[in-house]
């Protein structure tokens, strides 16, 4: 095609579109993520997921019949005060109709109430603690709370490995590991799995031999563990060192769903089961296309669940803006709750309480040779 | 199960004892509760990690490197922080506060420079392995900790009790002014003691980091709380007391977790600390501070 024809086509195209919608200005959304500091790994993964989705959405024509989508990032650095200020700035100065983030549940508990009070929808993509959406009607999340993922993991372990008697261990000085333990306890009771003993430890402990020796003597089918990855690695290493046989595998909460578990604990972590809202090796075409596009855009780096959740979330939000018909907070809020979308994480819709309604996308992973893979 | 729990307790106790003997040496001679001690624990571990990764040293060579670097940093820090205060004969509270401030500064600096993520020794270094005797299992790093605690303890006692340097150190501990009149270089002795305790703290950090294969800047912070309990129970500045108190604390924690409840474990150290201050304020062996080192 010659240059002149292209130009003519472009002119024609733009005048046609101009007839439908005058406004070509970008629709600006806010995003609050941890972009610097020790936890920036999470925020940067999320940012990359957003940016990839943004490119895809704008390439396909943007939102509202041809307006490009744009993101204004604010760095929370993992501090809730900073997340709070970022929310105020995005709403007050940038006048965004919707905020994505923040990264941590703690930050959402600070920023969420502000957005809710100013009637601007705020959508967490990585906030899994209990009580996030209870902040108010403008607070949404697309990340499955642990209370949805853990029961799927335990149920799978029961069905697949026939576990009947387990020992439970949890970190008792950390809100996150304690809340996952509460879910585990309720879920074990519901499934009729017997708990032989419940042992605790402190998040800074490095010696777990006393608890593990006790567990070894009780000879359970599996050990259900709620811990952050550092403590979990230490526990698995010591369990094998104390001679707890490999067939007694660990079943973990979200804290164990990290490649670092295999890095630190090595072979001792083999057989560990975790549930995850997403997995890089999910074979469906949408997921594989996402993984490949991500790798191409970021120099071979692989996406993680945070990037995947962010990627889907921006599509969900774009769909809601289209359905709302205008970039206005109130309309977007009403449209969001009705969105149905199937992305790389599987089918998605919001429940009445603005949490994800569907757990069919949850996958159960097993650690083998230091790497997680889909449980076959 | 009891046999295994006793082994667990002795190994845990040895890590506490190993940590505490350097701490208590520092206190016994200098009369200062130096809170920077917890920092040497992490510094030793990081130095050893660096020498295994950067210099490809095997672990038996990385251990002395970790101890050496931690010892040297201890000398520098002690000189920087406390020389002025010693000259001015400042009260103990000022030196406690100076070291507290410095500790927070150093922790924040290490977290900024090294990151707060847990690091681990390369898999090749950490070959682990365990011996079983019937039902009881002991890991090689656990034996290493136990051995190192005993050897360092004996070496330190031999040095302090049976050498000219030790005599000079004890003289400085007893009365710095009189010691200097007798021609003892007090400043030098203080450096020697700083180096020794920093090196022991560093070595403890390497071994504990190796045993749990987890190294991070704040690893000493947790140990400091236990370290306090151990040196109070053992008697401030008392090396043998620290060894014994470390073992008692380790065993008490493990047996509490095994036969009472793991939730109660952390209360033990502080219950022991308070009980000691009530009933045996001078520690297990009950000697006056100046005679101990």
């Amino acid at each position: 095609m010659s240059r002149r024809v292209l130009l003519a086509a472009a002119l024609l195209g733009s005048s046609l579109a101009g007839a439908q919608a005058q406004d070509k200005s970008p629709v600006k959304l806010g995003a609050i993520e941890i972009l610097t500091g020790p936890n920036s790994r999470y925020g940067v993964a999320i940012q990359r997921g957003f940016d990839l989705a943004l490119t895809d959405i704008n390439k396909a024509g943007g939102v509202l019949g041809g307006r490009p989508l744009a993101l204004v990032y604010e760095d929370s650095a993992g501090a809730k005060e900073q997340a709070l200020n970022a929310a105020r700035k995005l709403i007050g100065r940038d006048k965004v109709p919707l905020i994505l983030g923040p990264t941590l549940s703690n930050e959402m508990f600070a920023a969420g109430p502000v957005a809710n009070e100013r009637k601007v929808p705020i959508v967490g993509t990585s906030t899994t603690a209990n009580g996030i959406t209870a902040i108010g009607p403008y607070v949404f999340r697309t990340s499955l709370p642990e209370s949805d993922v853990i029961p799927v993991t335990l149920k799978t372990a029961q069905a697949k490995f026939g576990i009947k008697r387990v020992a439970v261990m949890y970190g008792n000085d950390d809100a996150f590991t304690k809340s996952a333990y509460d879910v585990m306890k309720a879920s074990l009771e519901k499934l009729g799995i017997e708990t032989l003993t419940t042992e605790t430890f402190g998040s800074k402990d490095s010696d777990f031999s006393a608890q593990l020796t006790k567990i070894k003597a009780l000879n359970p089918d599996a050990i259900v563990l709620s811990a952050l990855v550092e403590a979990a690695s230490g526990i698995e290493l010591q369990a094998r060192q104390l001679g707890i046989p490999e067939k007694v595998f660990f079943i973990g909460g979200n804290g164990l769903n990290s490649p670092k578990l295999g890095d630190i604990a090595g072979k001792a972590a083999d057989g560990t089961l975790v549930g995850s809202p997403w997995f890089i090796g999910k074979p469906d075409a949408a997921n594989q296309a996402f993984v490949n596009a991500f790798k191409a855009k970021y120099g071979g780096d692989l996406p993680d669940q945070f990037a995947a959740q962010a990627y889907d979330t921006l599509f969900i939000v774009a769909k809601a803006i289209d359905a709302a018909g205008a970039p206005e907070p109130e309309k977007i809020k009403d449209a969001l709750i009705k969105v149905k979308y199937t992305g790389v994480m599987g089918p998605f819709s919001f429940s009445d309480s603005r949490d994800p309604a569907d757990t069919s996308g949850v996958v159960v992973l097993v650690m083998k040779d230091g790497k997680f893979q889909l449980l076959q | 199960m009891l046999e295994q729990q006793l082994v667990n307790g002795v190994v845990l106790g040895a890590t506490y004892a190993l940590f505490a003997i350097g701490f208590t040496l520092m206190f016994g001679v200098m009369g200062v509760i130096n809170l920077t001690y917890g920092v040497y624990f992490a510094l030793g571990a990081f130095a050893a990690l660096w020498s295994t990764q950067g210099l490809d040293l095997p672990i038996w060579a990385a251990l002395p490197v970790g101890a050496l670097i931690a010892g040297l940093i201890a000398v520098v820090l002690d000189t920087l922080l406390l020389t002025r205060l010693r000259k001015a004969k400042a009260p103990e509270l000022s030196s406690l506060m100076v070291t507290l401030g410095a500790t927070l500064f150093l922790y924040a600096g290490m977290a900024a420079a090294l990151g707060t993520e847990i690091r681990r020794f390369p898999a090749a270094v950490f070959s682990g392995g365990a011996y079983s005797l019937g039902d009881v299992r002991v890991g090689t790093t656990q034996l290493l900790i136990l051995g190192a605690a005993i050897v360092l303890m004996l070496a330190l006692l031999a040095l302090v009790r049976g050498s000219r340097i030790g005599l000079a150190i004890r003289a400085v501990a007893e009365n710095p002014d009189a010691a200097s009149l007798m021609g003892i270089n007090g400043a030098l002795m203080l450096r020697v003691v700083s180096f020794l305790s920093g090196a022991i703290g560093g070595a403890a950090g390497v071994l504990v980091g190796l045993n749990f294969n987890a190294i991070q800047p704040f690893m000493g912070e947790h140990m400091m709380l236990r370290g306090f309990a151990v040196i109070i129970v053992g008697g401030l500045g008392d090396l043998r007391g620290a060894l014994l108190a470390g073992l008692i604390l380790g065993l008490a924690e493990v047996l509490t977790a095994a036969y009472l409840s793991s939730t109660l474990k952390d209360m033990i150290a502080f219950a022991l600390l308070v009980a000691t201050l009530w009933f045996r304020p001078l520690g297990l062996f009950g000697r006056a501070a100046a005679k101990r080192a």
Side-chain angles (χ1 to χ4, degrees), chain A residues 197-211:
Chain A
T197 179
T198 302
E199 300 292 324
T200 63
F201 53 87
S203 57
K204 284 180 181 162
D205 282 3
S206 49
D207 181 80
F208 313 96
S209 55
Q211 295 95 317

Side-chain angles (χ1 to χ4, degrees), chain B residues 168 172 179-180 182-192:
Chain B
V172 173
S180 99
M182 303 311 287
I184 293 172
N185 185 343
L188 179 67
M189 287 308 123
L190 291 184
R191 296 222 167 104
V192 171

Side-chain angles (χ1 to χ4, degrees), chain A residues 38 41 172 199-200 204-207 209-211 213-214 216-217 230 237-238 240-243 263-264, chain B residues 1 4-5 8 12 116-118 120 126 129-130 135 137 139 141 212-213 221-222 254 257-258 262-263 265:
Chain A
R41 193 162 61 89
N172 65 351
E199 300 292 324
T200 63
K204 284 180 181 162
D205 282 3
S206 49
D207 181 80
S209 55
Q211 295 95 317
T213 301
K214 198 168 159 188
K216 186 187 171 195
E230 290 82 9
L237 275 169
Q238 282 178 33
R240 301 304 173 224
Q241 199 170 50
L242 281 166
D263 288 349
I264 302 176
Chain B
M1 188 172 107
Q4 181 73 60
Q5 294 292 21
N8 297 340
L12 183 65
T116 52
E117 297 219 328
I118 296 221
R120 61 185 196 105
F126 178 77
D135 251 2
R137 313 224 341 159
T141 39
F212 306 122
N213 205 16
E221 204 181 20
H222 183 57
V254 163
S262 41
T263 334
K265 193 180 96 169

Side-chain angles (χ1 to χ4, degrees), chain A residues 153-154 157 161 163 166-170 184 201 208 212 215 220-227 231-241 244-253 256 261 265 267-275 364-367 372:
Chain A
T153 322
L154 287 171
F161 302 101
I163 56 164
V166 297
V168 178
M169 269 183 98
Y170 73 98
M184 287 168 174
F201 53 87
F208 313 96
L212 289 167
I215 288 174
D221 298 328
I223 300 170
V224 177
L225 174 61
S226 175
S233 317
I235 288 169
E236 298 203 347
L237 275 169
Q238 282 178 33
R240 301 304 173 224
Q241 199 170 50
I244 295 180
E246 261 178 63
K247 70 173 169 54
V248 182
F249 57 92
F250 283 87
I251 304 170
L256 275 71
L261 182 70
K267 244 197 102 42
D270 274 9
T272 304
L273 283 193
V274 296
V364 177
L365 309 176
V366 62
M367 179 72 82
F372 277 116

